[in-house]
């Protein structure tokens, strides 16, 4: 029998392979490597190899090793928890919960922190099975063990928000105000308000119950605490949230511009430290300046003042980008849209050029995982540049996974097999229709001029996109969605509609399978609505301010599946961005 040297052993094998993706190793190869050290086949050895196998994706092999390890010590808590994690990796959540409960029973005399962590895992798994009440029960128990743990509170608030239990949320917020944080400097509600998701959830609850003043006071208290401790990051984030809440929920239209201008001045005094809050503030101001110009033009008034403000803010943002600070705001895009709609095509091109080339760079780099984002950016900018057909081709990539999942649902339903709630995948039932109708939508101020930017290189005589014989593929059946489909399948957050890259910014809480249409605002940056919420927006009945009712909207779902062949091609069995299409776009915009 050999003793294992201290600090060595099979569990450290992954350290030696830390630069490798273990999924590239066969199970046989991993087992061969595991025998290299000639260590004793102890419980620790089997547990260590199980963890390596699980990391490599060999879940059944990991389970076999863990059960072998349990044979050495039937009450080993670590083995039980690892077995639970293996079952969770297979989406066998009921079995995962059973084994985690066994571990918790063994941990009866363990630390509160260890037991609470196990309960948090059970919370997640019960949520996966659709047992919202069971999930709440588990996280409440975790909170009772470690009351000051912010992530337990976060999970509970998110569960309450998902169930629309707003009164319980506000009651909890009141109790959190009476609890001191671990630092003893501020209350727990102030700590929780540093999380944007908690802010949004509590805002919904406060607005629904007519308790906006409670939340405003809580934010002001959190702001004071951050200023007192010198936490400038929290000062910025809380100031931004407070401004956004007043703008969105108090519907204070008259002073909205001044609210945002005051905030931007404060943020810019700190340079680029608060880039996220600056970006969001600039987006809000850009929209307001643009809307002011549209309203002034409609009333035959001078547009010079709001447009000059928009030009100034866009120039400042462009200077920041040139200096190495990635602004990522919409000011240049809105200014370019104004120029384009008023015939100033050269000025418009200058506003769009860098963003279009950036999107093309993203789609042609060596990292396919960011292609989804590249298509989104490209679609939005091309749309504002008047290139509706290429924009439609780019945005169709983001819509394609819905149709593939829809087809999968029909196939499963046809075989009388029930779809597991554990997959939590949005499956859309709407039929595909022609997207070109939405491309004819009129802008706010004037008739859309014929697009002078790059148009589709492949068109038939009727002006519709046609399929190239070279590289033709079946768009929906073959579409791999450039990692987007995996995001959809792996997501568990219903508030983001099962991982779709676009979600409805209304408060319908509908799933994507219920959408009859989906629309992106032509003015606001990354703001979109389902068909039901769009009707509320256009009728100024949404209940809070997210978008101006006068804005025009781009219908992106249903979409024309043939457009996928414009933006993508199949290479070595994998769907990738179409190289020739992107190269022609680059040639047009790089000039």
């Amino acid at each position: 029998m050999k003793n294992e040297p201290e600090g060595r052993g099979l569990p450290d094998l992954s350290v030696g392979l830390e630069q490798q993706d273990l999924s590239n190793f066969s199970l046989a190869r991993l087992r061969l490597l595991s025998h290299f050290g000639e260590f004793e086949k102890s419980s620790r050895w089997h547990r260590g190899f199980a963890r390596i196998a699980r990391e490599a994706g060999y879940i059944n092999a990991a389970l076999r090793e863990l059960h072998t390890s349990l044979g050495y010590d039937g009450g080993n808590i670590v083995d039980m928890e690892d077995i639970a994690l293996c079952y969770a990796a297979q989406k066998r959540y009921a079995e995962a919960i059973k084994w985690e409960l066994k571990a918790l029973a063994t941990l009866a005399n363990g630390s509160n922190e260890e037991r609470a962590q196990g309960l948090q895992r059970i919370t997640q798994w019960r949520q996966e099975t659709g047992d919202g009440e069971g999930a709440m029960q588990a996280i409440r128990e975790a909170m009772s063990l470690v009351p000051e743990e912010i992530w337990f509170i976060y999970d509970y608030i998110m569960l309450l928000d998902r169930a629309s239990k707003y009164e319980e949320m506000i009651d909890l917020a009141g109790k959190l105000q009476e609890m001191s944080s671990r630092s003893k400097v501020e209350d727990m509600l102030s700590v929780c308000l540093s999380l944007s998701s908690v802010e949004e959830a509590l805002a919904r609850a406060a607005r629904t119950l007519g308790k906006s003043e409670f939340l405003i006071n809580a934010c002001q208290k959190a702001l004071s605490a951050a200023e007192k401790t010198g936490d400038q990051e929290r000062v910025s984030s809380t100031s931004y949230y407070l401004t956004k809440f007043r703008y969105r929920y108090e519907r204070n239209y008259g002073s909205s511009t001044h609210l945002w201008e005051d905030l931007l001045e404060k943020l810019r005094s700190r340079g680029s430290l608060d880039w996220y809050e600056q970006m969001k503030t600039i987006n809000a101001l850009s929209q307001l300046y643009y809307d002011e110009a549209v309203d002034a033009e409609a009333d035959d008034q001078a547009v010079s003042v709001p447009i000059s403000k928009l030009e100034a803010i866009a120039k400042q943002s462009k200077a920041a980008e040139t200096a190495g600070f990635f602004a990522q705001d919409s000011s240049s895009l809105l200014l370019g849209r104004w120029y384009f709609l008023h015939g100033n095509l050269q000025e418009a091109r200058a506003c769009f050029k860098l963003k279009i080339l950036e999107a093309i760079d993203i789609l042609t780099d060596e990292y396919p995982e960011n292609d989804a984002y590249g298509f989104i950016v490209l679609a939005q900018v091309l749309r504002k540049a008047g290139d509706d057909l290429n924009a439609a081709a780019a945005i169709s990539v983001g819509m394609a996974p819905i149709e593939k999942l829809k087809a999968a649902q029909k196939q499963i339903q046809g075989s009388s097999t029930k779809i597991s709630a554990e997959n939590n995948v949005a499956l859309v039932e709407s039929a595909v229709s022609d997207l070109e109708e939405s491309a004819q939508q009129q802008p706010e101020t004037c008739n859309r001029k014929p697009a002078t930017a790059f148009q589709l290189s492949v068109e038939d005589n009727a002006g519709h996109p046609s399929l190239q014989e070279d590289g033709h593929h079946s768009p929906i059946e073959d579409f791999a969605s450039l990692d987007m489909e995996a995001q959809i399948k792996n997501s568990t957050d219903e508030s983001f509609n099962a991982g779709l890259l676009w979600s409805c910014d209304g408060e319908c809480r509908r799933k994507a399978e219920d959408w009859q249409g989906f629309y992106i605002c032509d003015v606001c940056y990354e703001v979109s609505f389902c068909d039901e919420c769009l009707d509320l927006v256009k009728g100024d009945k949404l209940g809070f301010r997210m978008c101006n009712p006068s804005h025009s909207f781009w219908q992106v779902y249903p979409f024309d599946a043939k457009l996928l062949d414009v933006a993508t091609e199949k290479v070595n069995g994998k769907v990738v961005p179409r190289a020739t299409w992107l190269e022609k776009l680059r040639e047009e915009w790089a000039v």
Side-chain angles (χ1 to χ4, degrees):
M1 180 182 295
K2 295 184 178 180
N3 294 321
E4 296 177 2
E6 184 177 354
R8 294 186 59 197
L10 181 59
D12 294 327
L13 174 61
S14 58
V15 176
L17 299 174
E18 61 185 1
Q19 301 301 321
Q20 300 285 341
D21 181 356
L22 290 181
S23 63
N24 292 328
F25 288 78
S26 68
L27 182 60
R29 177 66 174 167
L30 288 173
R31 197 173 292 281
L32 177 64
L33 289 170
S34 72
H35 289 292
F36 182 75
E38 298 183 359
F39 300 121
E40 176 190 1
K41 299 302 186 292
S42 62
S43 174
R44 182 169 180 260
W45 187 95
H46 289 287
R47 185 182 309 124
F49 184 74
R51 290 180 174 177
I52 291 172
R54 175 162 62 89
E55 182 179 341
Y58 301 110
I59 307 300
N60 288 330
L63 284 168
R64 287 195 295 270
E65 297 295 337
L66 288 168
H67 282 291
T68 300
S69 178
L70 272 178
Y72 289 84
D73 181 4
N76 191 293
I77 299 168
V78 177
D79 287 338
M80 293 178 187
E81 289 183 336
D82 281 1
I83 289 173
L85 291 171
C86 283
Y87 282 128
Q90 293 180 325
K91 300 188 183 299
R92 296 163 65 181
Y93 297 116
E95 291 163 281
I97 292 169
K98 181 183 74 173
W99 279 96
E100 190 66 47
L101 287 173
K102 283 185 179 181
L104 285 174
T106 308
L107 259 176
N109 297 321
S111 70
N112 285 354
E113 286 76 10
E114 289 177 319
R115 292 165 60 201
Q117 288 171 2
L119 286 164
Q120 188 182 37
R121 286 190 287 270
I122 288 175
T123 297
Q124 177 186 347
W125 298 334
R126 283 180 174 168
Q127 189 178 342
E128 291 283 1
T129 63
D131 182 8
E133 290 297 327
M136 289 185 203
Q137 179 183 350
I139 201 62
R140 278 195 295 264
E141 190 174 344
M143 289 170 58
S144 70
L145 293 170
V146 189
E148 68 277 12
E149 175 52 59
I150 186 172
W151 293 111
F152 297 163
I153 300 171
Y154 169 85
D155 285 346
Y156 188 35
I157 291 177
M158 292 300 101
L159 286 168
L160 290 172
D161 180 48
R162 185 167 300 168
S164 300
K165 295 189 174 185
Y166 297 137
E167 290 187 0
E168 292 183 38
M169 288 173 63
I170 296 299
D171 288 344
L172 174 63
K175 293 175 182 176
L176 292 173
Q177 274 192 318
E178 299 172 0
M179 292 173 52
S180 295
S181 65
R182 284 172 173 165
S183 67
K184 307 299 181 184
V185 177
E186 57 191 338
D187 60 69
M188 282 304 299
L189 181 58
S190 295
V191 176
C192 291
L193 285 172
S194 66
L195 304 174
S196 60
S197 297
V198 170
E199 293 172 341
E200 294 290 345
L202 289 176
R204 274 189 291 274
R207 179 185 65 83
T208 301
L209 300 177
K211 296 188 176 181
S212 296
E213 199 62 34
F214 165 80
L215 190 58
I216 289 174
N217 291 336
C219 289
Q220 289 173 333
K221 190 175 180 181
L223 182 58
S224 297
E227 290 173 339
K228 189 177 296 185
T229 59
D231 189 342
Q232 293 303 312
E233 183 178 347
R234 289 269 298 280
V235 169
S236 298
S237 62
T238 306
S239 297
Y240 165 74
Y241 173 70
L242 191 54
T243 301
K244 182 177 71 171
F245 181 85
R246 285 173 166 162
Y247 167 71
R248 183 174 294 178
Y249 293 104
E250 291 188 337
R251 300 180 70 88
N252 192 349
Y253 296 104
S255 60
S256 293
T257 303
H258 296 302
L259 279 173
W260 289 113
E261 286 175 339
D262 291 345
L263 176 61
L264 184 60
E265 184 178 351
K266 292 177 183 177
L267 294 174
R268 279 187 165 164
S269 67
R270 287 169 39 77
S272 63
L273 296 177
D274 308 306
W275 72 270
Y276 178 81
E277 288 80 14
Q278 285 192 46
M279 176 188 71
K280 293 295 186 181
T281 302
I282 289 171
N283 287 346
L285 270 177
S286 300
Q287 177 191 324
L288 288 170
Y289 292 151
Y290 186 93
D291 289 344
E292 287 177 8
V294 171
D295 292 341
E297 187 175 54
D299 295 336
D300 293 325
Q301 297 178 5
V303 301
S304 57
V305 173
I307 289 300
S308 64
K309 289 183 177 180
L310 182 57
E311 288 173 334
I313 204 171
K315 287 178 181 178
Q316 288 174 333
S317 298
K318 189 173 182 180
E321 282 192 357
T322 304
F325 167 56
F326 190 52
Q328 257 189 339
D329 62 62
S330 62
S331 56
S332 294
L333 301 185
L334 278 179
L335 183 60
R337 176 180 174 81
W338 179 269
Y339 288 152
F340 173 74
L341 292 175
H342 290 77
N344 301 324
L345 301 182
Q346 185 173 355
E347 292 89 343
R349 182 184 180 84
C351 293
F352 299 133
K353 177 179 177 179
L354 290 179
K355 209 66 175 175
I356 288 177
L357 293 178
E358 174 196 323
I360 295 172
D361 286 342
I362 291 173
L363 290 168
T364 54
D365 64 18
E366 58 182 315
Y367 306 107
E369 59 271 13
N370 64 10
D371 286 349
Y373 173 71
F375 274 115
I376 286 176
V377 174
L378 186 61
Q380 290 183 99
V381 185
L382 289 175
R383 170 70 176 181
K384 285 182 169 59
D387 190 352
D388 293 343
L389 291 178
N390 277 316
I395 203 65
S396 70
V397 179
M399 301 294 124
I402 304 174
E403 288 302 325
K404 183 169 183 180
L405 291 168
K406 167 192 167 184
Q409 183 189 40
K410 288 183 177 179
Q411 183 178 1
I412 292 173
Q413 288 176 338
S415 61
S416 301
T417 303
K418 184 178 180 181
I419 296 179
S420 172
E422 295 173 356
N423 291 333
N424 191 26
V425 174
L427 298 169
V428 180
E429 299 174 354
S430 302
V432 176
S433 66
D434 193 349
L435 182 64
E436 288 193 9
E437 293 179 5
S438 65
Q440 305 303 319
Q441 217 171 345
Q442 298 299 313
E444 308 84 59
T445 57
C446 60
N447 291 330
R448 182 181 291 276
K449 296 176 175 61
T452 57
F454 176 76
Q455 293 293 305
L456 286 174
S457 59
V458 184
E459 295 184 345
D460 59 23
N461 294 332
H464 300 297
S466 61
L467 302 180
Q468 295 187 11
E469 293 182 4
D470 178 32
H472 169 69
H473 61 279
S474 175
I476 299 300
E477 292 180 6
D478 292 344
F479 198 76
S481 81
L482 310 108
D483 289 342
M484 286 189 286
E485 186 178 325
Q487 293 180 37
I488 291 173
K489 287 182 177 179
N490 292 334
S491 173
T492 61
D493 191 341
E494 291 178 5
S495 65
F496 286 89
N497 236 315
L500 294 180
L501 297 178
W502 288 95
S503 59
C504 178
D505 286 309
E507 284 195 334
C508 60
R509 314 299 285 265
R510 297 166 74 204
K511 295 187 180 231
E513 57 262 39
D514 298 322
W515 295 345
Q516 299 302 310
F518 194 64
Y519 305 80
I520 297 174
C521 180
D522 278 324
V523 178
C524 305
Y525 191 65
E526 294 187 352
V527 171
S528 50
F529 299 99
C530 69
D531 51 301
E532 287 188 1
C533 287
L534 180 67
D535 290 340
L536 296 175
V537 172
K538 301 299 285 185
D540 200 17
K541 297 178 181 178
L542 188 59
F544 62 95
R545 179 162 186 178
M546 173 61 74
C547 191
N548 193 311
S550 68
H551 291 172
S552 64
F553 293 84
W554 177 27
Q555 182 175 346
V556 296
Y557 187 84
F559 71 100
D560 186 345
K562 296 191 297 294
L563 290 170
L564 289 171
D565 272 306
V566 176
T568 64
E569 60 185 333
K570 200 170 184 181
V571 177
N572 297 326
K574 178 78 172 178
V575 175
V576 298
R578 185 176 286 276
T580 54
W581 177 64
L582 291 173
E583 189 55 39
K584 288 179 180 179
L585 280 171
R586 188 189 296 277
E587 289 174 2
E588 173 66 20
W589 285 95
V591 177

